Amino acid sequence: MMEPVLRIHNLTKHMGSLTPVKGISFNLERGSCTALLGPNGAGKTTTLRMLAGLLSPSQGEIRYGNSGETGADNQRWQKRIGYLPQYPKFYGWMSGLEYLIFSAKLSGLPGKQAKLRSLEVLEMVGLQEAANRRISGYSGGMKQRLGIAQALVHEPEMILLDEPVSALDPIGRREVMDLLDRLRGEVTILFSTHVLHDAEEVCDRMVLMVDGRIAEQGELSELRAKYRQPLLLLEVEPGEREADWLRSLPERHFIEEAEIRNRAARLVVQDMDEARAALVREMADAGIRFQRIEAGASSLEDMFMKVVGA
Ligand SMILES: Nc1ncnc2c1ncn2[C@@H]1O[C@H](COP(=O)(O)OP(=O)(O)OP(=O)(O)O)[C@@H](O)[C@H]1O
Ligand SMILES: [Mg+2]
């Protein structure tokens, strides 16, 4: 059975007149990779800072493992958790190795062990070659991997990464996503992102936050199944008859949702077979010149856009 490393119950944060986190609850299973997904201002950073012990909750509870240990036991927490802030700051004049030794010593490792562990994590994140170069010469992806190395240096059970790929170009993003993929299973990972695709690429679970609340959470595979609906995409030739026909589509009883745009329609239907047969017949009868008909299914992306939708 799955064992939660972290149980979060009714976690709330007030800041002046704002409440960026409004009573959220979720568990993190040991060894899982969970995405904390949400648009700008959803409350992801505030949540991660509370989990990292850097910000105290206004209400609610964070418990570690089955011990019943709570946030009051701060010293032991920080040993168990590694944290990468959204905007990490490095001393550019230090080398990657120096920076890690410095971080390792800060977390309480004695000198010799600090160096050994630093070399080990540099290798884990693929920076061994750059170990003795100044951080100021690192690429964005290298800096972010160094930040992850810093989060790992004291051998935590869990790492919290705040938007580790958001500021990176495609190459840097790939480097960091590959690293997360390698770390999966070795350490429990919670990382925030505003991109569903990032979550789907490496995670097995997601917690979707919108405006301080959890809009949806669960296993990605289950959520995909839950939000799967038959979907028809149509595209027609330019023409008045075609345009009129497209505009009339929402009246059909078998169409649940219609989005008509220009010469294309995106139709969520109840029954694919019925809808397909009826529409093809109509098009033939009315002489509608179509360019494309595609039968498929709506995805998590559609749900995400709807929930997050501006
Ligand atoms: N120190 C603070 N003082 C006042 N308001 C704050 C503070 N920190 C966060 N907020 C507010 O709380 C809300 C949530 O912020 P938070 O940074 O947690 O969101 P986020 O999901 O991390 O957003 P982003 O994707 O932009 O990083 C925002 O509306 C923000 O303005
Ligand atoms: Mg943030």
Side-chain angles (χ1 to χ4, degrees), residues 15-16 18-21 38-49 55 86-87 162-163 192-194 209 211-212:
M15 279 176 175
L18 292 176
T19 306
V21 179
N40 290 138
K44 304 180 297 293
T45 296
T46 310
T47 300
L48 291 176
R49 287 174 53 83
L55 198 62
Q86 185 165 3
Y87 307 105
D162 198 356
E163 309 232 13
S192 69
T193 172
H194 55 262
M209 272 186 92
D211 193 23

Side-chain angles (χ1 to χ4, degrees), residues 80-276:
R80 296 173 159 209
I81 292 184
Y83 173 65
L84 173 68
Q86 185 165 3
Y87 307 105
K89 292 201 176 62
F90 300 104
Y91 301 107
W93 46 268
M94 277 189 179
S95 73
L97 179 59
E98 283 166 345
Y99 173 72
L100 284 178
I101 294 174
F102 168 75
S103 309
K105 285 183 177 162
L106 272 184
S107 71
L109 286 184
K112 189 152 182 211
Q113 233 176 305
K115 179 159 187 197
L116 285 175
R117 178 63 185 163
S118 296
L119 289 166
E120 200 174 291
V121 288
L122 274 170
E123 198 169 330
M124 278 169 84
V125 303
L127 286 175
Q128 61 276 41
E129 311 268 286
N132 294 310
R133 278 164 50 193
R134 280 171 182 241
I135 300 170
S136 56
Y138 281 18
S139 70
M142 290 166 80
K143 281 187 189 150
Q144 214 60 334
R145 283 184 287 144
L146 182 64
I148 296 174
Q150 166 275 129
L152 288 166
V153 81
H154 57 295
E155 293 188 68
E157 291 168 36
M158 177 175 21
I159 50 175
L160 309 173
L161 311 173
D162 198 356
E163 309 232 13
V165 296
S166 298
L168 300 178
D169 67 15
I171 294 171
R173 178 184 173 281
R174 174 87 344 260
E175 292 171 358
V176 172
M177 292 306 271
D178 286 347
L179 170 61
L180 292 184
D181 205 38
R182 288 201 301 278
L183 292 174
R184 272 168 61 99
E186 287 185 37
V187 58
T188 307
I189 303 174
L190 177 66
F191 81 90
S192 69
T193 172
H194 55 262
V195 182
L196 175 66
H197 183 73
D198 292 345
E200 294 198 275
E201 196 176 326
V202 290
C203 290
D204 20 58
R205 297 180 60 84
M206 73 159 190
V207 174
L208 172 59
M209 272 186 92
V210 180
D211 193 23
R213 295 194 173 84
I214 294 182
E216 186 55 277
Q217 64 170 310
E219 299 278 333
L220 280 165
S221 54
E222 284 169 16
L223 292 173
R224 265 187 220 108
K226 177 173 169 188
Y227 288 101
R228 214 177 144 85
Q229 281 178 300
L231 183 72
L232 265 172
L233 301 172
L234 289 177
E235 227 177 288
V236 296
E237 296 278 353
E240 211 164 299
R241 191 173 344 132
E242 280 74 13
D244 286 345
W245 183 74
L246 275 191
R247 272 196 297 275
S248 76
L249 283 175
E251 295 156 20
R252 311 296 186 283
H253 73 273
F254 52 83
I255 295 177
E256 297 215 319
E257 244 181 78
E259 235 182 83
I260 314 291
R261 220 176 259 152
N262 239 338
R263 296 187 285 114
R266 186 181 168 285
L267 309 169
V268 174
V269 300
Q270 282 163 9
D271 182 282
M272 180 58 85
D273 288 337
E274 181 194 6
R276 191 160 26 194

